Amino acid sequence: MTSLSLSSPPPASHRQETSSIELEIVELTPALHAFARRFLRSEDDINDLVQETLLKALNSIHLYHPGTSLKSWLFTILRNTFCSNYRRRKREPVGNVILEQVAVAPSQEWALRERELRQALTRLSDDRRRALTLVAAGTSYEDAARICGCRIGTLKSRVSRARETLHSLLGNQLID
């Protein structure tokens, strides 16, 4: 078994093998572009992802095992690169995203909307208001029907009619 030292150049057979793999990588570039389109829509982002993948592949070509699927190896690098970049972007937002996260809607407007909603809820019949508030609070339809002492279909009807009434009383004010 021969070992490669850093001072001596690799054997000619190793250099030929590496250059043939590099040529194969170049031939697979269109397939990498097509695969990248599954993850991204912007052509610039696709090109960046493929370029980063190719750079990583060429820097790690010594890790590739000849005889295995080069295409699968490249696709794995591309997918892992995309996932790493995605996680990094989620952790480290840049630019206007930070401002959007810091900006908060004025509480005054929400207080007014809450008051309007409470007033509209008082205009509902007791059975519809109870059914709607139970379901809106996260109670399952089955449990809410049992609490209200009615069938599930009746409960769903009450919730639907309560929503329609609220919508007609409030209009689109709550939908923003």
Side-chain angles (χ1 to χ4, degrees), residues 144-160:
R146 198 170 22 260
I147 292 168
C148 291
C150 64
R151 295 179 182 205
I152 292 176
T154 303
L155 182 90
K156 288 182 178 182
S157 176
R158 289 178 184 173
V159 170
S160 176

mmCIF file of all heavy atoms in Angstrom, residues 144-160:
data_model
loop_
_atom_site.group_PDB
_atom_site.id
_atom_site.type_symbol
_atom_site.label_atom_id
_atom_site.label_comp_id
_atom_site.label_asym_id
_atom_site.label_seq_id
_atom_site.Cartn_x
_atom_site.Cartn_y
_atom_site.Cartn_z
ATOM 1 N N ALA A 144 -66.918 19.764 22.371
ATOM 2 C CA ALA A 144 -67.793 20.936 22.433
ATOM 3 C C ALA A 144 -69.257 20.519 22.320
ATOM 4 O O ALA A 144 -70.119 21.067 23.029
ATOM 5 C CB ALA A 144 -67.428 21.932 21.334
ATOM 6 N N ALA A 145 -69.551 19.547 21.455
ATOM 7 C CA ALA A 145 -70.928 19.062 21.319
ATOM 8 C C ALA A 145 -71.399 18.421 22.626
ATOM 9 O O ALA A 145 -72.536 18.620 23.061
ATOM 10 C CB ALA A 145 -71.025 18.066 20.169
ATOM 11 N N ARG A 146 -70.510 17.671 23.255
ATOM 12 C CA ARG A 146 -70.859 17.030 24.529
ATOM 13 C C ARG A 146 -71.116 18.100 25.603
ATOM 14 O O ARG A 146 -72.085 18.011 26.352
ATOM 15 C CB ARG A 146 -69.717 16.099 24.960
ATOM 16 C CG ARG A 146 -70.085 15.084 25.989
ATOM 17 C CD ARG A 146 -69.042 14.001 26.271
ATOM 18 N NE ARG A 146 -67.641 14.279 25.929
ATOM 19 C CZ ARG A 146 -67.021 13.844 24.828
ATOM 20 N NH1 ARG A 146 -67.668 13.092 23.957
ATOM 21 N NH2 ARG A 146 -65.766 14.144 24.598
ATOM 22 N N ILE A 147 -70.302 19.139 25.661
ATOM 23 C CA ILE A 147 -70.471 20.214 26.640
ATOM 24 C C ILE A 147 -71.771 20.967 26.403
ATOM 25 O O ILE A 147 -72.498 21.300 27.353
ATOM 26 C CB ILE A 147 -69.270 21.185 26.598
ATOM 27 C CG1 ILE A 147 -68.006 20.483 27.098
ATOM 28 C CG2 ILE A 147 -69.536 22.442 27.417
ATOM 29 C CD1 ILE A 147 -66.724 21.255 26.832
ATOM 30 N N CYS A 148 -72.086 21.206 25.120
ATOM 31 C CA CYS A 148 -73.306 21.946 24.778
ATOM 32 C C CYS A 148 -74.550 21.063 24.826
ATOM 33 O O CYS A 148 -75.679 21.568 24.732
ATOM 34 C CB CYS A 148 -73.175 22.568 23.388
ATOM 35 S SG CYS A 148 -71.964 23.896 23.317
ATOM 36 N N GLY A 149 -74.369 19.756 24.923
ATOM 37 C CA GLY A 149 -75.504 18.833 24.987
ATOM 38 C C GLY A 149 -76.241 18.712 23.663
ATOM 39 O O GLY A 149 -77.471 18.661 23.636
ATOM 40 N N CYS A 150 -75.486 18.689 22.566
ATOM 41 C CA CYS A 150 -76.105 18.554 21.245
ATOM 42 C C CYS A 150 -75.258 17.636 20.379
ATOM 43 O O CYS A 150 -74.189 17.195 20.784
ATOM 44 C CB CYS A 150 -76.276 19.927 20.596
ATOM 45 S SG CYS A 150 -74.735 20.776 20.237
ATOM 46 N N ARG A 151 -75.746 17.357 19.183
ATOM 47 C CA ARG A 151 -75.002 16.527 18.250
ATOM 48 C C ARG A 151 -73.907 17.358 17.566
ATOM 49 O O ARG A 151 -73.976 18.580 17.538
ATOM 50 C CB ARG A 151 -75.932 15.952 17.199
ATOM 51 C CG ARG A 151 -76.934 15.003 17.792
ATOM 52 C CD ARG A 151 -77.833 14.479 16.707
ATOM 53 N NE ARG A 151 -78.835 13.596 17.318
ATOM 54 C CZ ARG A 151 -79.437 12.635 16.673
ATOM 55 N NH1 ARG A 151 -79.184 12.439 15.399
ATOM 56 N NH2 ARG A 151 -80.318 11.895 17.283
ATOM 57 N N ILE A 152 -72.934 16.641 17.002
ATOM 58 C CA ILE A 152 -71.816 17.326 16.341
ATOM 59 C C ILE A 152 -72.315 18.184 15.180
ATOM 60 O O ILE A 152 -71.876 19.316 15.002
ATOM 61 C CB ILE A 152 -70.756 16.310 15.857
ATOM 62 C CG1 ILE A 152 -70.084 15.663 17.053
ATOM 63 C CG2 ILE A 152 -69.716 16.984 14.981
ATOM 64 C CD1 ILE A 152 -69.093 14.578 16.681
ATOM 65 N N GLY A 153 -73.226 17.650 14.383
ATOM 66 C CA GLY A 153 -73.762 18.407 13.252
ATOM 67 C C GLY A 153 -74.433 19.696 13.697
ATOM 68 O O GLY A 153 -74.288 20.744 13.060
ATOM 69 N N THR A 154 -75.161 19.631 14.802
ATOM 70 C CA THR A 154 -75.826 20.823 15.343
ATOM 71 C C THR A 154 -74.778 21.835 15.789
ATOM 72 O O THR A 154 -74.896 23.037 15.528
ATOM 73 C CB THR A 154 -76.731 20.441 16.526
ATOM 74 O OG1 THR A 154 -77.676 19.462 16.083
ATOM 75 C CG2 THR A 154 -77.456 21.644 17.090
ATOM 76 N N LEU A 155 -73.733 21.348 16.451
ATOM 77 C CA LEU A 155 -72.673 22.238 16.917
ATOM 78 C C LEU A 155 -71.984 22.916 15.734
ATOM 79 O O LEU A 155 -71.748 24.128 15.754
ATOM 80 C CB LEU A 155 -71.645 21.480 17.753
ATOM 81 C CG LEU A 155 -70.559 22.408 18.286
ATOM 82 C CD1 LEU A 155 -70.954 22.958 19.636
ATOM 83 C CD2 LEU A 155 -69.236 21.743 18.312
ATOM 84 N N LYS A 156 -71.670 22.142 14.698
ATOM 85 C CA LYS A 156 -71.017 22.715 13.518
ATOM 86 C C LYS A 156 -71.906 23.768 12.870
ATOM 87 O O LYS A 156 -71.423 24.800 12.406
ATOM 88 C CB LYS A 156 -70.658 21.618 12.518
ATOM 89 C CG LYS A 156 -69.498 20.754 12.964
ATOM 90 C CD LYS A 156 -69.161 19.709 11.920
ATOM 91 C CE LYS A 156 -67.967 18.864 12.356
ATOM 92 N NZ LYS A 156 -67.596 17.888 11.337
ATOM 93 N N SER A 157 -73.185 23.523 12.852
ATOM 94 C CA SER A 157 -74.131 24.480 12.297
ATOM 95 C C SER A 157 -74.141 25.771 13.120
ATOM 96 O O SER A 157 -74.129 26.876 12.574
ATOM 97 C CB SER A 157 -75.530 23.864 12.268
ATOM 98 O OG SER A 157 -76.477 24.800 11.827
ATOM 99 N N ARG A 158 -74.130 25.625 14.450
ATOM 100 C CA ARG A 158 -74.107 26.802 15.323
ATOM 101 C C ARG A 158 -72.829 27.617 15.113
ATOM 102 O O ARG A 158 -72.867 28.846 15.035
ATOM 103 C CB ARG A 158 -74.200 26.379 16.797
ATOM 104 C CG ARG A 158 -75.566 25.864 17.183
ATOM 105 C CD ARG A 158 -75.580 25.405 18.633
ATOM 106 N NE ARG A 158 -76.874 24.810 18.973
ATOM 107 C CZ ARG A 158 -77.126 24.199 20.121
ATOM 108 N NH1 ARG A 158 -76.178 24.103 21.054
ATOM 109 N NH2 ARG A 158 -78.314 23.696 20.352
ATOM 110 N N VAL A 159 -71.712 26.932 15.008
ATOM 111 C CA VAL A 159 -70.436 27.620 14.797
ATOM 112 C C VAL A 159 -70.444 28.342 13.452
ATOM 113 O O VAL A 159 -70.048 29.503 13.345
ATOM 114 C CB VAL A 159 -69.255 26.630 14.886
ATOM 115 C CG1 VAL A 159 -67.953 27.268 14.428
ATOM 116 C CG2 VAL A 159 -69.106 26.091 16.305
ATOM 117 N N SER A 160 -70.921 27.670 12.427
ATOM 118 C CA SER A 160 -70.973 28.267 11.093
ATOM 119 C C SER A 160 -71.866 29.503 11.081
ATOM 120 O O SER A 160 -71.490 30.549 10.540
ATOM 121 C CB SER A 160 -71.479 27.235 10.089
ATOM 122 O OG SER A 160 -71.630 27.828 8.817
#
